[in-house]
Amino acid sequence: MSSNTFGVLFRVTTFGESHGPAIGCVVDGCPPNIALKAADIQRDLDRRRPGQSRFTTQRQEPDAVRILSGVFADRATGEDVTTGTPIALLIENLDQRSKDYSDIKDVYRPGHAGYTYDAKYGVHDYRGGGRASARETASRVAAGAIARKIVPGLQVRGALIQMGPHQIDRARWNWDEVDRNPFFCPDAQQAAFYADYLDGIRKRGSSVGAVIEVVAEGVPAGLGAPVYGKLDSDLAAALMGINAVKGVEIGAGFAAAALSGEDNVDEMRMGNDGKPRFLSNNAGGILGGISTGQPIVARFAVKPTSSILIPRRTVDRYGRETEVSTKGRHDPCVGIRAVPVGEAMVACVVADHYLRQRGQVGTPVKWPFDPPKV
Ligand SMILES: Cc1cc2nc3c(=O)[nH]c(=O)nc-3n(C[C@H](O)[C@H](O)[C@H](O)COP(=O)(O)O)c2cc1C
């Protein structure tokens, strides 16, 4: 009822607040005998970690993950493997500065969840957004690192493809560039432009939004469930559930509305591997809520950071009008650190549907079928 859990068979429950002692998650439903050590999870957490460049918040959190349960040394190799029991992960909060928020403890920061949490619960955890803080997304990234290990051959990668109004040039897309610049941007030339652009935004005490694209390759055909468990609707819910996300598209997305039917359909031919070969991917790898075997392509739009130095009008808990300017440590573009979070959410949804497919259908359907005998 409280909605801190998602997934059907691969179930993730997260807990913790921005300024509490720790955050973390419990991952239930992970199959046994999957090699898992903290370093596998840490690699992904380090990509999301704050304070790594001048373009993200200067909050210094090591985000060191501890595996509290659900693994045990394999008899043959001595390496830890999953046991099939709940995997509890803990990440301590070490660099909270709650006093940054004490001056505005009764004031709702516009664009934040302070007012809505108060309207719902009547409790106002003003310290860095409490449970609504994107600190929670570290737990999702940790769960995603486990999810990535469940589907054989799965590769989920994300990239920032637009900052403010400035899009990348897709002709220059190079996945190797993504980890070479502080923006997870696949276009090196545009990344250089973003550095100057974002410096200007940050110095003005302002912020900008971004668009992120996540591509999942190695997803077998047949994952997803009609009609209320569609893969695309679960992906949309998972991505929309990330803090500051205001829009999600799959494949051609909103642009599909402007295409003609003949341009939009992904025509089919036979590939050399005995599987269908689609001549385009406007569907984003999903038809009828079920994966086609093509890469799954999802994009999401992240709003500009609400905590800015430029004063904004607001009200306080007692109904008094006031103004607020946020002086704490913040990302000038939260879309940057949203990239690994988007990857993690896609990995969790794909892993969940992979296990559901295995549970319901078992052995994959043998395709193509034998033609009818005449
Ligand atoms: C990785 C990440 C980091 C974020 N950091 C900040 C931040 O430093 N300052 C801020 O105002 N919002 C930040 N946000 C967004 C807020 O958490 C979010 O806007 C707020 O909780 C209200 O929720 P909503 O925008 O989803 O409606 C961040 C979001 C993400 C994904």
Side-chain angles (χ1 to χ4, degrees), residues 250-278:
I250 309 284
F254 275 75
L259 295 177
S260 62
E262 62 273 28
D263 287 338
N264 181 60
V265 292
D266 301 316
E267 292 184 275
M268 298 171 81
R269 280 281 169 257
M270 274 309 292
N272 296 332
D273 57 359
K275 293 180 183 159
R277 182 169 63 90
F278 292 88

Side-chain angles (χ1 to χ4, degrees), residues 62 159 279 312 360:
L279 305 188
R312 298 283 85 188
Q360 188 191 11

Side-chain angles (χ1 to χ4, degrees), residues 111-113 132-134 137 242-244 303 305-307 330-331 334 337-338:
H112 278 277
S133 161
T137 61
I242 300 171
N243 308 44
K303 74 186 191 184
T305 320
S306 304
S307 301
H330 299 280
D331 294 278
V334 298
R337 291 171 56 232

Side-chain angles (χ1 to χ4, degrees), residues 3-51:
S3 295
N4 293 294
T5 302
F6 69 97
V8 176
L9 288 188
F10 184 81
R11 280 178 82 70
V12 179
T13 304
T14 72
F15 61 86
E17 294 83 30
S18 176
H19 289 210
I23 56 169
C25 62
V26 176
V27 176
D28 204 0
C30 180
N33 287 306
I34 294 178
L36 181 67
K37 47 186 188 309
D40 301 330
I41 302 170
Q42 197 61 53
R43 204 177 309 123
D44 285 6
L45 280 172
D46 287 349
R47 294 177 74 230
R48 196 216 70 106
R49 199 155 60 82

Side-chain angles (χ1 to χ4, degrees), residues 61-145:
E61 289 288 355
D63 279 355
V65 67
R66 278 174 64 202
I67 304 180
L68 302 185
S69 67
V71 293
F72 190 66
D74 179 63
R75 280 177 60 175
T77 65
E79 302 280 322
D80 275 351
V81 293
T82 56
T83 59
T85 62
I87 303 168
L89 305 175
L90 192 77
I91 302 164
E92 283 184 65
N93 290 329
L94 297 176
D95 190 22
Q96 315 93 312
R97 282 200 216 150
S98 303
K99 71 172 173 35
D100 281 357
Y101 296 89
S102 49
D103 290 350
I104 52 163
K105 70 181 169 54
D106 294 324
V107 175
Y108 299 127
R109 295 176 300 157
H112 278 277
Y115 167 66
T116 51
Y117 269 55
D118 223 358
K120 182 175 178 65
Y121 298 111
V123 178
H124 186 222
D125 181 354
Y126 59 85
R127 306 160 310 160
R131 177 73 178 150
S133 161
R135 185 96 192 101
E136 187 270 347
T137 61
S139 305
R140 303 173 187 230
V141 171

Side-chain angles (χ1 to χ4, degrees), residues 156-162 167-168 170 173 175 186 210-216 232 235-242 244-257 259 264 281-286 295-302 335 338-339 342-343 345-346:
V156 183
R157 295 184 289 190
L160 184 146
I161 60 164
Q162 181 177 331
Q167 295 182 3
I168 62 155
R170 295 183 78 91
W173 189 301
W175 279 113
V211 178
I212 310 335
E213 183 163 314
V214 181
V215 181
D232 36 3
L235 284 170
L239 293 172
M240 198 60 131
I242 300 171
V245 172
K246 298 309 280 183
V248 179
E249 336 181 286
I250 309 284
F254 275 75
L259 295 177
N264 181 60
N281 192 10
N282 289 320
I286 303 172
I296 289 177
V297 182
R299 273 179 297 282
F300 57 96
V302 179
V339 174
E343 291 177 3
M345 293 310 279
V346 169

Side-chain angles (χ1 to χ4, degrees), residues 183-239:
F183 308 110
F184 299 110
C185 178
D187 172 354
Q189 202 170 311
Q190 193 66 336
F193 167 79
Y194 289 158
D196 286 343
Y197 171 65
L198 200 53
D199 268 338
I201 300 280
R202 190 167 49 90
K203 284 177 190 151
R204 282 212 314 276
S206 181
S207 65
V208 278
V211 178
I212 310 335
E213 183 163 314
V214 181
V215 181
E217 285 163 280
V219 180
L223 306 196
V227 287
Y228 299 112
K230 289 183 175 177
L231 190 55
D232 36 3
S233 54
D234 282 1
L235 284 170
L239 293 172

